[in-house]
Coordinates of all heavy atoms in Angstrom, one line a residue:
M1 N 191.2 129.8 102.9 CA 191.3 128.5 102.2 C 190.3 127.5 102.9 O 190.3 127.4 104.1 CB 192.7 128.0 102.3 CG 192.8 126.5 101.7 SD 192.5 126.5 99.9 CE 192.0 124.8 99.7
V2 N 189.4 126.9 102.1 CA 188.5 126.0 102.6 C 188.7 124.6 102.0 O 188.8 124.4 100.8 CB 187.0 126.4 102.3 CG1 186.0 125.4 102.9 CG2 186.7 127.8 102.8
G3 N 189.0 123.6 102.9 CA 189.3 122.3 102.4 C 188.9 121.2 103.4 O 188.6 121.5 104.5
D4 N 189.1 119.9 103.0 CA 188.8 118.8 103.9 C 190.1 118.1 104.3 O 190.0 117.2 105.2 CB 187.9 117.8 103.1 CG 188.6 117.1 102.0 OD1 189.0 117.9 101.0 OD2 188.7 115.9 102.0
D5 N 191.2 118.4 103.8 CA 192.5 117.7 104.1 C 193.4 118.6 105.0 O 193.9 119.6 104.5 CB 193.2 117.3 102.8 CG 194.4 116.4 103.1 OD1 195.1 116.7 104.0 OD2 194.6 115.5 102.3
R6 N 193.5 118.3 106.2 CA 194.3 119.2 107.2 C 195.7 119.3 106.7 O 196.3 120.4 107.0 CB 194.1 118.7 108.6 CG 192.7 118.8 109.1 CD 192.6 118.4 110.6 NE 191.2 118.7 111.0 CZ 190.7 119.8 111.5 NH1 191.6 120.9 111.6 NH2 189.5 120.0 111.8
R7 N 196.3 118.3 106.2 CA 197.7 118.4 105.8 C 197.8 119.3 104.5 O 198.5 120.3 104.4 CB 198.4 117.1 105.6 CG 199.8 117.2 105.1 CD 200.5 115.8 104.9 NE 201.8 115.9 104.4 CZ 202.1 116.0 103.1 NH1 201.1 116.0 102.2 NH2 203.3 116.2 102.7
A8 N 197.1 118.8 103.4 CA 197.2 119.4 102.1 C 196.7 120.8 102.1 O 197.4 121.8 101.7 CB 196.5 118.6 101.0
D9 N 195.5 121.0 102.6 CA 194.8 122.3 102.5 C 195.4 123.2 103.6 O 195.4 124.5 103.5 CB 193.3 122.2 102.7 CG 192.7 121.4 101.5 OD1 193.1 121.7 100.3 OD2 191.9 120.4 101.7
G10 N 195.8 122.6 104.7 CA 196.4 123.4 105.8 C 197.7 124.1 105.4 O 198.1 125.0 106.1
G11 N 198.3 123.7 104.3 CA 199.5 124.4 103.9 C 199.3 125.8 103.6 O 200.3 126.6 103.6
A12 N 198.0 126.2 103.3 CA 197.8 127.6 103.0 C 198.1 128.5 104.2 O 198.4 129.7 104.0 CB 196.3 127.8 102.6
A13 N 198.0 128.0 105.4 CA 198.3 128.8 106.6 C 199.7 129.2 106.6 O 200.1 130.3 107.2 CB 198.0 128.0 107.9
D14 N 200.6 128.4 106.1 CA 202.1 128.8 106.0 C 202.3 130.0 105.1 O 203.4 130.6 105.2 CB 202.9 127.6 105.6 CG 202.9 126.5 106.5 OD1 202.7 126.7 107.7 OD2 203.0 125.3 106.1
L15 N 201.3 130.3 104.2 CA 201.5 131.5 103.4 C 200.8 132.7 104.0 O 201.0 133.8 103.6 CB 200.8 131.2 102.0 CG 201.0 132.2 100.9 CD1 202.5 132.2 100.5 CD2 200.1 131.9 99.7
G16 N 200.1 132.5 105.1 CA 199.4 133.6 105.8 C 197.9 133.6 105.6 O 197.2 134.5 106.0
C17 N 197.4 132.6 104.9 CA 195.9 132.5 104.7 C 195.2 132.0 105.9 O 195.8 131.2 106.7 CB 195.6 131.6 103.5 SG 196.3 132.0 101.9
A18 N 194.0 132.4 106.1 CA 193.1 131.8 107.1 C 192.7 130.5 106.5 O 192.6 130.3 105.3 CB 191.9 132.7 107.4
V19 N 192.4 129.5 107.4 CA 192.0 128.1 106.9 C 190.8 127.7 107.6 O 190.7 127.8 108.8 CB 193.2 127.1 107.0 CG1 192.7 125.7 106.5 CG2 194.4 127.6 106.3
H20 N 189.9 127.1 106.9 CA 188.7 126.5 107.5 C 188.5 125.1 106.9 O 188.6 124.9 105.7 CB 187.4 127.3 107.2 CG 186.1 126.8 107.7 ND1 185.8 126.8 109.0 CD2 185.1 126.1 107.0 CE1 184.6 126.2 109.1 NE2 184.2 125.8 107.9
F21 N 188.2 124.1 107.8 CA 188.1 122.7 107.3 C 186.6 122.3 107.3 O 185.9 122.6 108.2 CB 188.9 121.8 108.2 CG 190.4 122.1 108.1 CD1 191.1 122.7 109.1 CD2 191.1 121.7 106.9 CE1 192.5 122.9 109.0 CE2 192.5 121.9 106.8 CZ 193.2 122.6 107.8
V22 N 186.3 121.5 106.3 CA 185.0 120.8 106.3 C 185.3 119.3 106.4 O 186.4 118.8 106.1 CB 184.2 121.1 105.0 CG1 183.8 122.6 105.0 CG2 185.0 120.7 103.8
E23 N 184.2 118.5 106.7 CA 184.4 117.1 106.8 C 184.2 116.4 105.5 O 183.3 116.8 104.7 CB 183.4 116.5 107.8 CG 183.6 117.0 109.3 CD 182.6 116.3 110.2 OE1 182.0 115.3 109.9 OE2 182.5 116.8 111.3
H24 N 185.0 115.5 105.2 CA 185.0 114.7 103.9 C 183.9 113.6 104.1 O 184.2 112.5 104.5 CB 186.3 114.1 103.6 CG 186.4 113.5 102.2 ND1 187.1 114.0 101.2 CD2 185.8 112.3 101.8 CE1 187.0 113.2 100.1 NE2 186.2 112.2 100.5
R25 N 182.7 114.0 103.7 CA 181.6 113.0 103.9 C 180.8 112.9 102.5 O 181.1 113.7 101.6 CB 180.6 113.5 104.9 CG 181.2 113.5 106.4 CD 180.1 113.9 107.4 NE 180.6 113.8 108.7 CZ 180.4 112.7 109.5 NH1 179.8 111.7 109.0 NH2 180.9 112.7 110.7
T26 N 179.9 111.9 102.5 CA 179.1 111.8 101.2 C 178.2 113.0 101.1 O 178.0 113.8 102.1 CB 178.3 110.5 101.3 OG1 177.3 110.6 102.3 CG2 179.2 109.3 101.5
V27 N 177.6 113.2 99.9 CA 176.7 114.3 99.7 C 175.5 114.3 100.6 O 175.1 115.3 101.1 CB 176.3 114.3 98.2 CG1 175.1 115.2 97.9 CG2 177.5 114.6 97.3
T28 N 175.0 113.1 100.8 CA 173.8 113.0 101.7 C 174.1 113.2 103.2 O 173.3 113.7 103.9 CB 173.1 111.7 101.5 OG1 174.0 110.6 101.8 CG2 172.5 111.5 100.1
E29 N 175.3 112.9 103.6 CA 175.7 113.1 105.0 C 176.2 114.5 105.3 O 176.3 114.8 106.5 CB 176.9 112.1 105.3 CG 176.6 110.6 105.2 CD 177.8 109.8 105.4 OE1 178.9 110.2 105.0 OE2 177.7 108.6 105.9
R30 N 176.4 115.3 104.3 CA 176.9 116.7 104.6 C 176.0 117.7 103.8 O 176.5 118.3 102.8 CB 178.3 116.8 104.3 CG 179.1 117.8 105.1 CD 180.5 118.1 104.5 NE 180.3 119.0 103.4 CZ 181.3 119.3 102.5 NH1 182.5 118.7 102.6 NH2 181.1 120.2 101.6
P31 N 174.8 118.0 104.2 CA 173.9 118.9 103.5 C 174.3 120.3 103.6 O 174.0 121.1 102.7 CB 172.5 118.6 104.1 CG 172.8 118.2 105.5 CD 174.1 117.4 105.4
D32 N 174.9 120.8 104.7 CA 175.2 122.2 104.9 C 176.6 122.5 105.5 O 176.7 123.4 106.2 CB 174.1 122.8 105.8 CG 174.0 122.0 107.1 OD1 174.8 121.1 107.4 OD2 173.0 122.4 107.9
G33 N 177.5 121.6 105.2 CA 178.9 121.8 105.7 C 179.6 123.0 105.3 O 180.5 123.5 105.9
L34 N 179.2 123.6 104.1 CA 179.9 124.8 103.6 C 179.3 126.1 104.2 O 179.9 127.2 104.1 CB 179.8 124.8 102.1 CG 180.7 123.8 101.4 CD1 180.4 123.7 99.9 CD2 182.2 124.1 101.6
R35 N 178.1 126.1 104.7 CA 177.4 127.3 105.1 C 178.2 128.1 106.2 O 178.1 129.4 106.1 CB 176.0 127.0 105.5 CG 175.1 126.7 104.4 CD 173.7 126.4 104.8 NE 172.9 125.9 103.7 CZ 171.9 125.1 103.8 NH1 171.5 124.6 104.9 NH2 171.2 124.7 102.7
P36 N 178.9 127.5 107.1 CA 179.6 128.2 108.1 C 180.7 129.2 107.5 O 181.1 130.1 108.1 CB 180.3 127.2 108.9 CG 179.3 126.0 108.9 CD 178.9 126.0 107.4
V37 N 181.1 128.9 106.2 CA 182.0 129.8 105.5 C 181.5 131.2 105.5 O 182.2 132.2 105.6 CB 182.4 129.2 104.1 CG1 183.2 130.3 103.3 CG2 183.2 127.9 104.2
L38 N 180.2 131.3 105.2 CA 179.6 132.6 105.1 C 179.7 133.4 106.3 O 179.8 134.7 106.3 CB 178.2 132.5 104.6 CG 178.0 131.8 103.2 CD1 176.5 131.7 102.9 CD2 178.7 132.6 102.1
D39 N 179.7 132.8 107.5 CA 179.8 133.4 108.8 C 181.2 134.0 109.0 O 181.4 134.8 109.9 CB 179.4 132.5 109.9 CG 177.9 132.1 109.8 OD1 177.1 132.9 109.3 OD2 177.6 130.9 110.2
L40 N 182.2 133.5 108.3 CA 183.5 133.9 108.5 C 183.9 135.1 107.6 O 185.0 135.7 107.7 CB 184.5 132.8 108.1 CG 184.3 131.5 108.9 CD1 185.3 130.4 108.4 CD2 184.7 131.8 110.4

């Protein structure tokens, strides 16, 4: 599960999912925040 809200999206961990968080920033401030997902 990939999300920006540690409480809401973090709920997936209680089901047994792995969780990865990104920062909630503007489009120009976060050009490549999702790319680390591919490394996982």
Side-chain angles (χ1 to χ4, degrees):
M1 174 67 206
V2 180
D4 66 299
D5 188 319
R6 292 185 176 273
R7 178 180 177 274
D9 299 313
D14 294 331
L15 190 66
C17 301
V19 180
H20 176 75
F21 295 106
V22 295
E23 295 185 16
H24 185 111
R25 293 181 176 267
T26 65
V27 167
T28 55
E29 291 173 332
R30 210 195 77 193
D32 54 5
L34 290 169
R35 286 179 187 152
V37 170
L38 299 177
D39 296 331
L40 299 174

